[in-house]
Amino acid sequence: MASSNAASEALEGLKAVVKTTTDLITQLEAFLHTIAVNKVSDAAAPPPPSSPESESVDALSLAHDSATLIKAHTTKLSLLIINEPFTPSALTKVLRELVAGPIPALTSAVQICDADKYTSVARQDLAWRCYRVLKELKSLVEIIPLDGKTLPDAQKSGSKGDRGSMAATGVVWAACDDVVLLKKLGIAGLLVKKVEEYRDTLKDILEELKEYSEEVDEDDDDDANAGQDDEISNVTDQMQNTHISTQQMLDDLMNPRHIPRDDPDKIRERLESCLKRLRLTTLLYTAIIKRRLKDVRIPPTTAQASVTQRLDEVLPLLKRLPHRFGEVACAFYELEPEAIDRGMDSCFFDAFAASEMLMKPWEGQRDEFTEWAEKFQVGIKKPD
């Protein structure tokens, strides 16, 4: 009888701790999400139960250690919910350790990752990674059986599209590994990785436009005029044909229009100019990575106080440029000269501005990149 009461009390204790844990995670998870998506929360940041405020604490190190502990505790939880005998007290102990230490510490890491010290980009990236850890951890905690029995096989491996406990554990591990990786990368490594991704997108657009520039309109003007009536008739027939496929319609929309042979709007001339300056822009990204980002020190020294501000000003430009060049490519495909001109002016203004923002080294007035950037600015203004 006594053992039965003890088991019942242990199970009730587990239920209470599970609720406390999920409530805490939900609160901290919402806070991290507001930072990750760069939204200012109206509510005050929830104070974690244990929040180190010392200036000497490194945000990435704290996040690394917290994620490592969460991963280890996740492994314990995963084993306890599938192996006999089911021990509520052991699960309660693990959850209490999580609530008392690594869960609030993970949020504290984001709180002390101040944008002035680490850049807004790094703060948002860390917040997103930590948010994923808590989100996936909560999913695992919610799987904990509260009926006094271990999980049945179906819930271990998953069934009917539901994620099983083993898969849920693996997802938490992966999220924790992403936080640990950020410490290994460092802020400079993170920024290099992001700008390399932007540059690779620019290179893809460059290759697409080069291929487009090599395509020739096979039909001369006479053939085009002669076929115009047939084309109208063909479209009419297609509209009347109830069997025309959605895929065929999408394919027709996605196929770019070729530059006509007579090129009355001088599209090809614009395309050649764009290709030259787009090549220069990809070189700018490479130079920024090599001569600025790989040498940056984060957090900066007192003498480099403006470093994070400069980075936070230039990185949005570097991120935006691939999207804008993509819009320019679409304008070329649609043979819209006015849209092409507007898009190119915007792109090359941003590229010029990015080079100007990083013209000076982090310390001093001039270096090798400064000289290169001056030549880049001349080329981006007048590539021909």
Side-chain angles (χ1 to χ4, degrees), residues 7-223:
S8 178
E9 290 176 3
L11 191 58
E12 289 302 315
L14 174 61
K15 291 177 182 179
V17 173
V18 166
K19 185 179 186 308
T20 300
T21 304
T22 54
D23 287 348
L24 175 64
I25 293 177
T26 298
Q27 183 187 21
L28 300 183
E29 182 185 12
F31 169 64
L32 293 179
H33 189 263
T34 63
I35 297 176
V37 298
N38 200 25
K39 288 185 179 179
V40 178
S41 178
D42 294 333
S50 59
S51 179
E53 297 294 335
S54 172
E55 287 291 325
S56 63
V57 177
D58 177 68
L60 300 191
S61 295
L62 179 59
H64 171 284
D65 295 345
S66 302
T68 301
L69 283 172
I70 289 174
K71 184 177 180 180
H73 282 68
T74 297
T75 304
K76 294 178 183 178
L77 288 176
S78 180
L79 293 173
L80 287 169
I81 62 179
I82 63 174
N83 290 319
E84 296 284 359
F86 184 75
T87 314
S89 59
L91 284 164
T92 298
K93 181 176 182 292
V94 174
L95 290 174
R96 282 176 174 163
E97 289 174 353
L98 280 169
V99 168
I103 288 177
L106 195 68
T107 307
S108 293
V110 177
Q111 285 182 305
I112 66 174
C113 187
D114 186 72
D116 292 338
K117 289 177 62 178
Y118 295 90
T119 74
S120 294
V121 174
R123 177 174 167 82
Q124 285 180 248
D125 191 278
L126 177 62
W128 183 255
R129 293 175 192 236
C130 293
Y131 163 76
R132 281 191 59 239
V133 170
L134 295 189
K135 179 176 181 292
E136 302 303 342
L137 177 62
K138 186 172 73 171
S139 296
L140 179 62
V141 172
E142 290 172 342
I143 296 175
I144 294 175
L146 301 177
D147 59 357
K149 300 176 183 177
T150 57
L151 288 178
D153 291 339
Q155 285 185 273
K156 293 178 187 177
S157 56
S159 62
K160 298 179 180 179
D162 294 333
R163 184 191 294 172
S165 66
M166 297 178 71
T169 302
V171 173
V172 178
W173 286 351
C176 290
D177 288 343
D178 280 344
V179 175
V180 170
L181 176 63
L182 188 54
K183 165 63 178 174
K184 294 178 180 178
L185 271 177
I187 303 299
L190 172 67
L191 300 182
V192 166
K193 184 172 180 290
K194 286 183 177 294
V195 176
E196 284 177 340
E197 291 171 357
Y198 306 153
R199 180 195 59 190
D200 290 345
T201 302
L202 284 178
K203 286 183 175 180
D204 290 341
I205 296 170
L206 176 61
E207 288 303 312
E208 288 179 10
L209 285 175
K210 283 172 62 179
E211 291 178 9
Y212 176 68
S213 70
E214 295 165 1
E215 296 174 358
V216 179
D217 192 349
E218 299 295 339
D219 300 325
D220 58 27
D221 294 338
D222 292 337
D223 290 340

